[in-house]
């Protein structure tokens, strides 16, 4: 049975994955299928290096601000200790609950959000999801480690991160696996897409990429 189902099934899809694993491509495909990306309004001028020397898609500035606040307030940038995420004090977690909750309720149906920082902060979003009467799904993107290291060394931003803080990139891939386990425990639907799978869907026909 094909793991991909109908496109209009979910009110909100979050795309989560380390840099250069296909988060932009997955979001682009969903946009082409009719999903709304708030970044088209609140982050119109974002640009950078990507598959076509510019980002294929943009990241919602509101979601990015929430994620940056979570990282800043955690006192543990990039969650260098991976296990620390699940051990955060409840007062810290719920300090961000209201901002995430309010933001999600303001979004129209069939919205997609993408931010690589979800690899660190998704746990807090998942806690909010449990309290909402909305159909929500998480897409995790994946790329083989050897190929991923090559891609990180080829892109200016990730190459500089490898020099400054290699552990932050490595932990991104570890946290992705951690969040998949949390989704299972919370009964939040998710799918894992390989980069090559996304490329095939993009090259052949966007209709082949459905949730």
């Amino acid at each position: 049975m094909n793991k991909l189902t109908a496109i209009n099934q979910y009110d909100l899809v979050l795309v989560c994955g380390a840099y250069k694993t296909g988060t932009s491509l997955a979001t682009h495909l969903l946009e082409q299928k009719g999903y709304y990306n708030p970044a088209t309004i609140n982050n119109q001028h974002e640009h950078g290096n990507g598959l076509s020397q510019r980002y294929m898609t943009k990241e919602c500035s509101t979601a990015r601000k929430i994620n940056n606040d979570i990282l800043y307030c955690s006192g543990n940038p990039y969650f260098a200790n991976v296990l620390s995420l699940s051990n955060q004090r409840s007062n810290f977690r719920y300090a961000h609950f209201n901002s995430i909750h309010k933001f999600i309720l303001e979004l129209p149906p069939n919205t997609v959000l993408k931010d690589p920082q979800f690899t660190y902060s998704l746990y807090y979003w998942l806690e909010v999801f449990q309290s909402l009467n909305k159909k929500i799904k998480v897409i995790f993107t994946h790329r083989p480690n050897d190929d991923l290291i090559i891609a990180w060394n080829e892109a200016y931003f990730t190459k500089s991160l490898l020099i400054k803080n290699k552990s932050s990139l490595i932990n991104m891939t570890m946290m992705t696996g951690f969040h998949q386990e949390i989704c299972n425990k919370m009964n939040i639907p998710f799918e894992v897409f390989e980069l090559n799978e996304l490329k095939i869907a993009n090259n052949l026909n966007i209709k082949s990429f459905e949730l």
Side-chain angles (χ1 to χ4, degrees):
M1 180 178 178
N2 196 315
K3 70 176 183 178
L4 305 176
T5 54
I7 187 65
N8 292 321
Q9 185 174 353
Y10 297 98
D11 295 316
L12 175 64
V13 175
L14 262 63
V15 179
C16 177
Y19 296 117
K20 315 306 291 183
T21 59
T23 56
S24 291
L25 183 52
T27 306
H28 171 71
L29 287 167
L30 288 171
E31 290 173 347
Q32 294 298 307
K33 293 288 290 184
Y35 269 81
Y36 166 69
N37 183 352
T40 57
I41 293 177
N42 65 29
N43 197 15
Q44 298 182 35
H45 303 296
E46 182 177 42
H47 62 85
N49 295 323
L51 293 180
S52 61
Q53 302 308 310
R54 295 180 68 84
Y55 292 137
M56 293 189 69
T57 188
K58 299 174 173 62
E59 294 161 12
C60 172
S61 60
T62 305
R64 177 184 290 173
K65 182 181 185 303
I66 292 173
N67 288 334
N68 286 341
D69 287 346
I70 290 174
L71 285 173
Y72 177 79
C73 295
S74 71
N76 183 18
Y78 303 111
F79 295 106
N81 177 1
V82 175
L83 294 180
S84 70
L85 180 59
S86 59
N87 295 327
Q88 294 288 349
R89 298 293 182 186
S90 61
N91 61 338
F92 168 72
R93 292 206 305 267
Y94 290 110
H96 303 285
F97 186 96
N98 286 338
S99 58
I100 296 174
H101 187 271
K102 180 177 182 294
F103 173 55
I104 292 177
L105 289 181
E106 292 174 347
L107 297 174
N110 303 127
T111 291
V112 58
L113 296 175
K114 167 247 180 184
D115 182 5
Q117 303 292 13
F118 281 136
T119 54
Y120 306 120
S121 65
L122 185 62
Y123 181 80
Y124 300 91
W125 293 76
L126 296 180
E127 287 195 321
V128 176
F129 292 171
Q130 285 192 310
S131 71
L132 297 173
N133 184 27
K134 285 180 175 288
K135 293 182 179 179
I136 296 174
K137 188 170 188 175
V138 180
I139 287 181
F140 294 99
T141 54
H142 181 265
R143 188 172 190 168
N145 286 339
D146 290 344
D147 188 28
L148 186 56
I149 294 296
I150 293 173
W152 283 347
N153 276 290
E154 290 177 346
Y156 173 79
F157 175 66
T158 48
K159 184 176 182 179
S160 64
L161 274 182
L162 282 172
I163 297 172
K164 296 176 182 177
N165 191 355
K166 183 177 181 179
S167 64
S168 68
L169 289 177
I170 301 301
N171 283 345
M172 274 186 141
T173 60
M174 296 174 64
M175 291 299 292
T176 300
F178 170 82
H179 281 122
Q180 290 171 25
E181 294 178 5
I182 297 298
C183 282
N184 269 327
K185 292 178 181 178
M186 292 183 172
N187 293 317
I188 294 174
F190 72 92
E191 298 285 356
V192 180
F193 288 90
E194 296 290 336
L195 176 60
N196 283 340
E197 184 178 4
L198 297 171
K199 287 181 176 179
I200 290 173
N202 188 50
N203 290 335
L204 293 180
N205 191 324
I206 60 173
K207 290 183 179 180
S208 67
F209 180 77
E210 296 180 345
L211 296 178

